[in-house]
Amino acid sequence: MSDILNRLAAVLEERRNADPKTSYVAALYAKGLDAILKKIGEEATETVIAAKGGDQRQVVYELADLWFHTLVLLAEQGLKPDDILAELERRFGLSGIEEKAARPRRD
């Protein structure tokens, strides 16, 4: 699975230099962080609506959009899917309660 994420991440990185007139992803990058975050919010909302509707195909479709736009955010931030996978690996085997308690406090 990480192979497809890494392949997609490489394409998204290439699109940073593409013409915004010919590339949807380049256009998102050109609009900046707020546009990317707005798109993630929209996709998250559409995912929730799809899940509430009970159509598994629609849930998969919307989650694919959400993951895609999240990968755009990762690239915009200079991160890779492996950074997220490493964090998930670090958490593996920890209870959610323990992991959350170990996080630094945000004031």
Side-chain angles (χ1 to χ4, degrees):
M1 178 174 76
S2 67
D3 183 53
I4 187 66
L5 293 176
N6 286 321
R7 287 178 21 219
L8 182 53
V11 170
L12 294 175
E13 189 62 37
E14 288 173 15
R15 300 287 162 81
R16 291 173 71 99
N17 300 317
D19 182 353
K21 294 177 185 170
T22 61
S23 167
Y24 168 76
V25 173
L28 267 179
Y29 289 136
K31 292 177 186 173
L33 180 61
D34 286 345
I36 295 168
L37 296 175
K38 180 179 178 187
K39 193 63 185 169
I40 290 172
E42 290 171 6
E43 298 302 343
T45 300
E46 290 171 4
T47 298
V48 169
I49 292 167
K52 292 290 284 180
D55 181 345
Q56 288 185 334
R57 281 186 18 212
Q58 192 66 26
V59 171
V60 169
Y61 180 86
E62 296 301 344
L63 277 170
D65 283 351
L66 180 57
W67 284 24
F68 177 86
H69 288 91
T70 301
L71 289 169
V72 171
L73 174 63
L74 285 176
E76 192 278 338
Q77 296 286 302
L79 297 167
K80 305 252 182 262
D82 285 343
D83 296 316
I84 307 308
L85 294 173
E87 176 60 16
L88 290 172
E89 178 69 27
R90 184 192 69 77
R91 294 181 188 186
F92 194 79
L94 292 176
S95 82
I97 294 170
E98 290 172 336
E99 193 282 325
K100 191 168 183 177
R103 291 181 191 176
R105 289 183 50 121
R106 294 183 200 170
D107 294 323

